[in-house]
Amino acid sequence: MLRIGIEFVPDKPIEKLVKWTKLAEDAGFDNVWITDHYNNRNVWAALTAIALQTDRIMLGPGVTNPFHISPALTASAAVTINELSNGRAVIGIGAGDKITLSGLGIKWDRPVSTVVESIEYMRTLTEGSKFKLDGKVYKVKGAKLAIVKREPVLDADGNPVMKDGKPVKRGPKIPIYAGAQGPMMLKNTAMVADGILINASHPKDFEIAMTKIKEGVDAAGRDISEVDVTAYASFSIGSTREEALKGDAKIVVAFIVAGSPDVVLERHGLDMEACNKVKELLGKGDFGGLPGAVTDEMVDAFAVVGDKDQCIGRIEELKKSGVTQFVVGSPIGPDKSDAIKQIGKDIIPYFKGD
Ligand code: F42
């Protein structure tokens, strides 16, 4: 069954994120993902507040990065949130943004190896085991968390799994998702991660991403069902498409157009002149001119926008292309609270079979 998640950005006070997450939990969402940028409110502080005031929803950073915070600290934070939330923590980790990190004086070398090794690092620590690595990026002599409660691992018949005459013990599993777009990142993280968060909204992008993810799982001898393929999509719902387009939907799309390489713009058959106009307006900070410059084709290439039937149609197409979790990302709707309630009434029951 399709999982449904939601993304919030802590550029708003944390009380608002808690209020929206509680609404999302009541509406039937499975996951909440909090974005991580150092210039916003801190992601782990936001997750702490959310963990304490919710009961069921899975929660995690979507995504933090191993360049601005050590995987050892991320593992410790995730174990703490897992304890506070009674086993609901997940970790989302990606390469981070090169320009932002270099502004902080942080070197951004080997992004793929860093993310892949960090997953191995965090997995070992969150399971309560000792981590040592002489890797391409990390040279870890010996790291272990003191706070993980390890229980004996049982086999399918309920008997303890033994190694060297001793029962194997492990802490609670915290799923680790990788944020990935590029071919190398998709393939290499698919070899090790429990899920892949793909910043895209159109089935064409997922057809291409799935090929790389399948290459990765095949190379690692895994089954594709072990990876939660997640569409981390820009989304806006309204009672009509016109209403859904009110608010920030076109502004979000404009940023995606401006940040996309030409090969992606061409893949969606977009008019390059119109795309250049959007880039020019953004460059000048002319936000007033953007709604007129962002075309319907751009909206449909980079976002899921519409009334309930249009949104369901697009999510169905993504599901057919291999997506197993759909994350409702910014702006969600012209009014976030109303949009969350509408998704709970009109979209989630459709996919959960109520
Ligand atoms: N970034 C944030 O800073 N905060 C967020 O909250 C956030 C959320 C988010 C959610 C979903 C998602 O998919 C991404 C998100 N991001 C967020 C962005 C994320 O942090 C990364 O910036 C983004 O995913 C990176 O894009 P990418 O996966 O395409 O990887 C980059 C590094 C890339 O260019 N990859 C290419 C590729 O083919 O995969 C090139 C790889 C490369 O550089 N290779 C080198 C080489 O020599 O070949 C390095 C080799 C090595 O060993 O690493």
Side-chain angles (χ1 to χ4, degrees):
M1 195 186 287
L2 186 77
R3 297 183 69 81
I4 312 263
I6 192 159
E7 171 222 53
F8 295 120
V9 181
D11 58 353
K12 302 280 185 303
I14 287 177
E15 304 91 82
K16 283 206 169 172
L17 269 66
V18 170
K19 182 187 118 183
W20 290 327
T21 306
K22 285 166 87 168
L23 273 180
E25 186 171 72
D26 291 344
F29 281 86
D30 300 294
N31 284 69
V32 60
W33 298 95
I34 307 298
T35 63
D36 185 11
H37 298 94
Y38 83 92
N39 50 353
N40 282 341
R41 290 168 186 81
N42 182 265
V43 66
W44 294 107
L47 288 164
T48 304
I50 292 169
L52 289 171
Q53 295 190 59
T54 52
D55 301 310
R56 188 193 51 77
I57 201 161
M58 303 288 288
L59 63 161
V63 300
T64 189
N65 77 74
F67 289 98
H68 71 187
I69 178 166
S70 158
L73 287 169
T74 299
S76 163
V79 167
T80 309
I81 294 294
N82 205 46
E83 188 177 81
L84 277 180
S85 66
N86 213 0
R88 293 184 282 130
V90 302
I91 300 172
I93 189 108
D97 167 46
K98 185 179 185 174
I99 296 170
T100 308
L101 290 164
S102 64
L104 298 174
I106 297 173
K107 262 189 153 181
W108 197 76
D109 288 338
R110 309 202 79 146
V112 180
S113 302
T114 306
V115 171
V116 169
E117 288 184 10
S118 79
I119 293 174
E120 196 188 337
Y121 194 165
M122 294 184 296
R123 170 151 301 131
T124 310
L125 291 196
T126 55
E127 284 180 357
S129 303
K130 186 169 181 177
F131 185 68
K132 276 188 188 180
L133 183 71
D134 183 15
K136 288 184 188 157
V137 177
Y138 294 103
K139 310 282 177 197
V140 183
K141 295 200 181 79
K144 190 169 188 291
L145 295 180
I147 52 170
V148 179
K149 284 196 201 106
R150 296 159 79 221
E151 307 278 351
V153 178
L154 304 179
D155 66 17
D157 300 322
N159 299 315
V161 175
M162 307 295 282
K163 194 176 170 201
D164 303 331
K166 289 189 198 152
V168 176
K169 290 187 174 177
R170 201 171 289 147
K173 166 133 178 132
I174 298 181
I176 304 178
Y177 286 64
Q181 266 71 239
M184 189 176 175
M185 190 71 91
L186 285 163
K187 179 181 168 188
N188 289 36
T189 56
M191 296 175 73
V192 292
D194 300 298
I196 310 283
L197 302 171
I198 304 158
N199 241 174
S201 310
H202 198 282
K204 268 188 197 165
D205 298 312
F206 283 89
E207 277 158 30
I208 293 167
M210 282 309 288
T211 314
K212 290 288 147 194
I213 293 173
K214 283 187 182 136
E215 277 176 32
V217 292
D218 288 349
R222 306 174 79 196
D223 191 90
I224 186 72
S225 64
E226 293 172 48
V227 181
D228 187 10
V229 178
T230 303
Y232 208 89
S234 172
F235 184 93
S236 187
I237 192 167
S239 54
T240 59
R241 179 170 162 107
E242 201 185 9
E243 198 207 306
L245 281 168
K246 289 181 185 156
D248 290 340
K250 287 196 170 182
I251 306 286
V252 173
V253 169
F255 274 101
I256 303 174
V257 168
S260 296
D262 286 355
V263 57
V264 173
L265 301 174
E266 280 158 13
R267 177 189 302 162
H268 291 286
L270 296 174
D271 180 328
M272 293 309 263
E273 225 174 273
C275 292
N276 288 335
K277 175 81 192 155
V278 168
K279 289 182 195 178
E280 190 192 309
L281 288 169
L282 261 185
K284 287 196 289 195
D286 180 357
F287 285 78
L290 279 177
V294 172
T295 62
D296 273 348
E297 290 73 22
M298 292 176 199
V299 170
D300 288 332
F302 295 122
V304 173
V305 174
D307 64 17
K308 76 170 188 167
D309 293 325
Q310 289 163 331
C311 291
I312 287 173
R314 278 295 294 277
I315 301 170
E316 269 291 1
E317 283 180 57
L318 291 169
K319 198 176 153 197
K320 282 195 193 114
S321 59
V323 166
T324 50
Q325 179 174 166
F326 180 80
V327 176
V328 169
S330 300
I332 302 173
D335 177 279
K336 278 202 201 332
S337 298
D338 288 349
I340 294 166
K341 288 182 201 156
Q342 191 185 352
I343 297 164
K345 184 166 74 67
D346 293 335
I347 308 267
I348 295 181
Y350 177 91
F351 288 100
K352 302 287 184 192
D354 291 2

